[in-house]
mmCIF file of all heavy atoms in Angstrom:
data_model
loop_
_atom_site.group_PDB
_atom_site.id
_atom_site.type_symbol
_atom_site.label_atom_id
_atom_site.label_comp_id
_atom_site.label_asym_id
_atom_site.label_seq_id
_atom_site.Cartn_x
_atom_site.Cartn_y
_atom_site.Cartn_z
ATOM 1 N N LEU A 1447 100.336 116.389 91.443
ATOM 2 C CA LEU A 1447 101.232 117.360 92.066
ATOM 3 C C LEU A 1447 101.912 118.236 91.010
ATOM 4 O O LEU A 1447 102.036 119.453 91.186
ATOM 5 C CB LEU A 1447 102.291 116.628 92.905
ATOM 6 C CG LEU A 1447 103.287 117.519 93.647
ATOM 7 C CD1 LEU A 1447 102.608 118.226 94.806
ATOM 8 C CD2 LEU A 1447 104.478 116.708 94.147
ATOM 9 N N LEU A 1448 102.337 117.620 89.913
ATOM 10 C CA LEU A 1448 103.055 118.376 88.883
ATOM 11 C C LEU A 1448 102.118 119.074 87.910
ATOM 12 O O LEU A 1448 102.246 120.277 87.670
ATOM 13 C CB LEU A 1448 103.993 117.437 88.109
ATOM 14 C CG LEU A 1448 105.096 116.746 88.909
ATOM 15 C CD1 LEU A 1448 105.979 115.935 87.978
ATOM 16 C CD2 LEU A 1448 105.923 117.749 89.688
ATOM 17 N N LEU A 1449 101.182 118.311 87.338
ATOM 18 C CA LEU A 1449 100.363 118.855 86.249
ATOM 19 C C LEU A 1449 99.295 119.826 86.721
ATOM 20 O O LEU A 1449 98.830 120.659 85.942
ATOM 21 C CB LEU A 1449 99.716 117.712 85.458
ATOM 22 C CG LEU A 1449 100.673 116.705 84.805
ATOM 23 C CD1 LEU A 1449 99.902 115.754 83.902
ATOM 24 C CD2 LEU A 1449 101.765 117.411 84.028
ATOM 25 N N VAL A 1450 98.878 119.717 87.965
ATOM 26 C CA VAL A 1450 97.855 120.642 88.478
ATOM 27 C C VAL A 1450 98.505 121.663 89.420
ATOM 28 O O VAL A 1450 98.632 122.838 89.096
ATOM 29 C CB VAL A 1450 96.715 119.878 89.181
ATOM 30 C CG1 VAL A 1450 95.699 120.865 89.762
ATOM 31 C CG2 VAL A 1450 96.018 118.950 88.207
ATOM 32 N N HIS A 1451 98.949 121.194 90.585
ATOM 33 C CA HIS A 1451 99.490 122.138 91.573
ATOM 34 C C HIS A 1451 100.763 122.813 91.076
ATOM 35 O O HIS A 1451 100.924 124.028 91.227
ATOM 36 C CB HIS A 1451 99.754 121.405 92.889
ATOM 37 C CG HIS A 1451 98.512 120.945 93.584
ATOM 38 N ND1 HIS A 1451 97.648 121.814 94.209
ATOM 39 C CD2 HIS A 1451 97.976 119.708 93.729
ATOM 40 C CE1 HIS A 1451 96.632 121.138 94.719
ATOM 41 N NE2 HIS A 1451 96.812 119.855 94.438
ATOM 42 N N GLY A 1452 101.668 122.039 90.494
ATOM 43 C CA GLY A 1452 102.916 122.619 90.019
ATOM 44 C C GLY A 1452 102.710 123.610 88.896
ATOM 45 O O GLY A 1452 103.266 124.712 88.903
ATOM 46 N N ARG A 1453 101.900 123.217 87.914
ATOM 47 C CA ARG A 1453 101.666 124.106 86.763
ATOM 48 C C ARG A 1453 100.942 125.370 87.194
ATOM 49 O O ARG A 1453 101.288 126.479 86.767
ATOM 50 C CB ARG A 1453 100.862 123.362 85.698
ATOM 51 C CG ARG A 1453 101.000 123.955 84.313
ATOM 52 C CD ARG A 1453 100.162 123.201 83.313
ATOM 53 N NE ARG A 1453 98.743 123.483 83.497
ATOM 54 C CZ ARG A 1453 98.133 124.570 83.008
ATOM 55 N NH1 ARG A 1453 98.805 125.450 82.306
ATOM 56 N NH2 ARG A 1453 96.851 124.768 83.219
ATOM 57 N N TRP A 1454 99.926 125.223 88.025
ATOM 58 C CA TRP A 1454 99.212 126.404 88.514
ATOM 59 C C TRP A 1454 100.118 127.303 89.342
ATOM 60 O O TRP A 1454 100.054 128.529 89.228
ATOM 61 C CB TRP A 1454 97.996 125.976 89.330
ATOM 62 C CG TRP A 1454 96.809 125.625 88.494
ATOM 63 C CD1 TRP A 1454 96.658 125.778 87.154
ATOM 64 C CD2 TRP A 1454 95.581 125.047 88.965
ATOM 65 N NE1 TRP A 1454 95.422 125.340 86.749
ATOM 66 C CE2 TRP A 1454 94.734 124.885 87.844
ATOM 67 C CE3 TRP A 1454 95.125 124.644 90.209
ATOM 68 C CZ2 TRP A 1454 93.457 124.346 87.943
ATOM 69 C CZ3 TRP A 1454 93.854 124.105 90.318
ATOM 70 C CH2 TRP A 1454 93.017 123.956 89.186
ATOM 71 N N SER A 1455 100.949 126.711 90.203
ATOM 72 C CA SER A 1455 101.841 127.530 91.031
ATOM 73 C C SER A 1455 102.789 128.325 90.164
ATOM 74 O O SER A 1455 103.036 129.523 90.413
ATOM 75 C CB SER A 1455 102.636 126.632 91.994
ATOM 76 O OG SER A 1455 101.785 126.019 92.929
ATOM 77 N N TYR A 1456 103.339 127.679 89.145
ATOM 78 C CA TYR A 1456 104.254 128.392 88.233
ATOM 79 C C TYR A 1456 103.508 129.496 87.487
ATOM 80 O O TYR A 1456 103.989 130.639 87.394
ATOM 81 C CB TYR A 1456 104.871 127.408 87.253
ATOM 82 C CG TYR A 1456 105.695 128.061 86.176
ATOM 83 C CD1 TYR A 1456 106.942 128.621 86.480
ATOM 84 C CD2 TYR A 1456 105.240 128.139 84.866
ATOM 85 C CE1 TYR A 1456 107.702 129.235 85.496
ATOM 86 C CE2 TYR A 1456 106.006 128.757 83.880
ATOM 87 C CZ TYR A 1456 107.224 129.298 84.197
ATOM 88 O OH TYR A 1456 107.965 129.920 83.221
ATOM 89 N N LEU A 1457 102.335 129.180 86.961
ATOM 90 C CA LEU A 1457 101.530 130.167 86.233
ATOM 91 C C LEU A 1457 101.200 131.361 87.127
ATOM 92 O O LEU A 1457 101.358 132.527 86.727
ATOM 93 C CB LEU A 1457 100.243 129.504 85.734
ATOM 94 C CG LEU A 1457 99.175 130.438 85.170
ATOM 95 C CD1 LEU A 1457 99.540 130.865 83.763
ATOM 96 C CD2 LEU A 1457 97.799 129.761 85.176
ATOM 97 N N ARG A 1458 100.741 131.076 88.334
ATOM 98 C CA ARG A 1458 100.324 132.150 89.241
ATOM 99 C C ARG A 1458 101.507 133.033 89.635
ATOM 100 O O ARG A 1458 101.394 134.266 89.657
ATOM 101 C CB ARG A 1458 99.674 131.537 90.484
ATOM 102 C CG ARG A 1458 98.336 130.874 90.218
ATOM 103 C CD ARG A 1458 97.960 129.921 91.340
ATOM 104 N NE ARG A 1458 96.639 129.341 91.145
ATOM 105 C CZ ARG A 1458 96.179 128.283 91.816
ATOM 106 N NH1 ARG A 1458 96.946 127.695 92.723
ATOM 107 N NH2 ARG A 1458 94.975 127.819 91.588
ATOM 108 N N MET A 1459 102.635 132.399 89.958
ATOM 109 C CA MET A 1459 103.796 133.183 90.377
ATOM 110 C C MET A 1459 104.304 134.056 89.224
ATOM 111 O O MET A 1459 104.671 135.224 89.444
ATOM 112 C CB MET A 1459 104.895 132.243 90.868
ATOM 113 C CG MET A 1459 106.112 132.959 91.443
ATOM 114 S SD MET A 1459 105.707 134.007 92.866
ATOM 115 C CE MET A 1459 105.328 132.761 94.090
ATOM 116 N N CYS A 1460 104.296 133.531 88.022
ATOM 117 C CA CYS A 1460 104.754 134.313 86.874
ATOM 118 C C CYS A 1460 103.831 135.495 86.601
ATOM 119 O O CYS A 1460 104.296 136.620 86.366
ATOM 120 C CB CYS A 1460 104.846 133.421 85.636
ATOM 121 S SG CYS A 1460 106.142 132.175 85.740
ATOM 122 N N LYS A 1461 102.521 135.254 86.633
ATOM 123 C CA LYS A 1461 101.576 136.351 86.406
ATOM 124 C C LYS A 1461 101.687 137.390 87.516
ATOM 125 O O LYS A 1461 101.597 138.601 87.267
ATOM 126 C CB LYS A 1461 100.153 135.797 86.307
ATOM 127 C CG LYS A 1461 99.927 134.934 85.079
ATOM 128 C CD LYS A 1461 98.495 134.428 84.988
ATOM 129 C CE LYS A 1461 97.532 135.501 84.587
ATOM 130 N NZ LYS A 1461 96.186 134.964 84.281
ATOM 131 N N PHE A 1462 101.886 136.910 88.743
ATOM 132 C CA PHE A 1462 102.031 137.829 89.868
ATOM 133 C C PHE A 1462 103.241 138.733 89.674
ATOM 134 O O PHE A 1462 103.155 139.952 89.828
ATOM 135 C CB PHE A 1462 102.163 137.028 91.168
ATOM 136 C CG PHE A 1462 102.731 137.821 92.311
ATOM 137 C CD1 PHE A 1462 101.922 138.674 93.040
ATOM 138 C CD2 PHE A 1462 104.072 137.722 92.650
ATOM 139 C CE1 PHE A 1462 102.445 139.417 94.087
ATOM 140 C CE2 PHE A 1462 104.601 138.458 93.688
ATOM 141 C CZ PHE A 1462 103.785 139.310 94.419
ATOM 142 N N LEU A 1463 104.386 138.138 89.328
ATOM 143 C CA LEU A 1463 105.608 138.929 89.189
ATOM 144 C C LEU A 1463 105.511 139.913 88.024
ATOM 145 O O LEU A 1463 105.929 141.076 88.140
ATOM 146 C CB LEU A 1463 106.813 137.999 89.003
ATOM 147 C CG LEU A 1463 107.201 137.159 90.223
ATOM 148 C CD1 LEU A 1463 108.289 136.158 89.868
ATOM 149 C CD2 LEU A 1463 107.662 138.055 91.375
ATOM 150 N N CYS A 1464 104.963 139.447 86.898
ATOM 151 C CA CYS A 1464 104.814 140.350 85.749
ATOM 152 C C CYS A 1464 103.955 141.554 86.111
ATOM 153 O O CYS A 1464 104.311 142.709 85.818
ATOM 154 C CB CYS A 1464 104.185 139.591 84.569
ATOM 155 S SG CYS A 1464 105.289 138.421 83.765
ATOM 156 N N TYR A 1465 102.819 141.285 86.754
ATOM 157 C CA TYR A 1465 101.922 142.388 87.114
ATOM 158 C C TYR A 1465 102.559 143.285 88.171
ATOM 159 O O TYR A 1465 102.427 144.518 88.128
ATOM 160 C CB TYR A 1465 100.596 141.833 87.625
ATOM 161 C CG TYR A 1465 99.665 142.918 88.117
ATOM 162 C CD1 TYR A 1465 98.938 143.698 87.220
ATOM 163 C CD2 TYR A 1465 99.537 143.186 89.471
ATOM 164 C CE1 TYR A 1465 98.099 144.706 87.673
ATOM 165 C CE2 TYR A 1465 98.706 144.185 89.930
ATOM 166 C CZ TYR A 1465 97.986 144.951 89.023
ATOM 167 O OH TYR A 1465 97.163 145.950 89.472
#
Side-chain angles (χ1 to χ4, degrees):
L1447 181 72
L1448 299 184
L1449 301 188
V1450 177
H1451 292 288
R1453 202 181 73 82
W1454 278 352
S1455 294
Y1456 173 72
L1457 170 78
R1458 291 162 176 166
M1459 185 60 70
C1460 292
K1461 293 182 74 170
F1462 162 81
L1463 291 173
C1464 287
Y1465 175 78

